Amino acid sequence: LAQEGLRTLVFGYKHLSEAQYADFAEQLCNAKLTTENRAENVALVQESLEVNLELIGLTGVEDRLQPDVQRSLEELRNADIKVWMLTGDKVETGICIARSTRLVDRSQRIFHLSGTTHTDLSNQFDLFSNSAYEAAQGIAMVLDGSTLAACLTELPDRFVAETNKCTSVVICRCSPTQKAEVVNLVRK
């Protein structure tokens, strides 16, 4: 469903004994009291409960675009104005949205940037640079939040230089903090 651009929601349940619930509630309370990495600690405790669930069902909901979004994004792209999409969505969903909104043209190549080390990113940027040079219809870059984090710490200047070659950039699984960091980096 996500590959078709639909918002997906999966419903599941499991029975907990009182002891299991008490243990979970205590771990969650402790995670909420941490001063460092609170959000990550809370997420880990919550995820520990989300295993071995009984599937109830799932939904796929289409997000309708606002009027003129496609035309507006297409005109921005045709005017050589670079547009970035920063989203919390999964990569597959982000790509579907980018295509359906015409942020990325159907004929355009999409380069998936991935890496978490200086060497990985440097090699990926070299590949991207060659691909960007060869792409007659322009090229879009897609990356996820972990790759973005590495780009911002390892090679921020190269990241900006390479993304300037893109017609559009799609950053998926991006946290609000990362969104602010990207805006500040690109403004420089």
Side-chain angles (χ1 to χ4, degrees), residues 86-161:
L86 309 175
T87 179
D89 290 323
K90 296 189 309 185
V91 171
E92 297 84 8
T93 306
I95 291 170
C96 285
I97 293 168
R99 292 256 194 230
S100 69
T101 59
R102 297 193 186 138
L103 176 63
V104 176
D105 188 75
R106 298 254 178 236
S107 63
Q108 275 186 304
R109 178 146 186 255
I110 296 177
F111 185 89
H112 294 260
L113 181 72
S114 64
T116 55
T117 67
H118 186 281
T119 304
D120 290 344
L121 292 171
S122 185
N123 291 337
Q124 286 279 301
F125 282 137
D126 290 343
L127 287 170
F128 170 77
S129 194
N130 291 334
S131 297
Y133 179 74
E134 295 169 0
Q137 298 296 320
I139 190 166
M141 182 184 289
V142 175
L143 59 149
D144 64 17
S146 59
T147 301
L148 173 64
C151 287
L152 296 176
T153 57
E154 297 292 327
L155 294 167
D157 294 335
R158 178 100 191 254
F159 175 66
V160 171

Side-chain angles (χ1 to χ4, degrees), residues 16-33 42 45-46 48-49:
L16 297 177
S17 67
E18 286 188 33
Q20 288 173 316
Y21 176 75
D23 182 50
F24 168 76
E26 181 181 350
Q27 288 180 29
L28 184 61
C29 183
N30 290 338
K32 288 180 178 180
L33 294 174
V42 168
V45 172
Q46 291 171 334
S48 72
L49 191 63

Side-chain angles (χ1 to χ4, degrees), residues 62-73 100-101:
E62 181 180 7
D63 279 347
R64 299 231 181 251
L65 293 175
Q66 295 292 318
D68 299 322
V69 167
Q70 291 175 323
R71 185 176 55 81
S72 298
L73 288 174
S100 69
T101 59

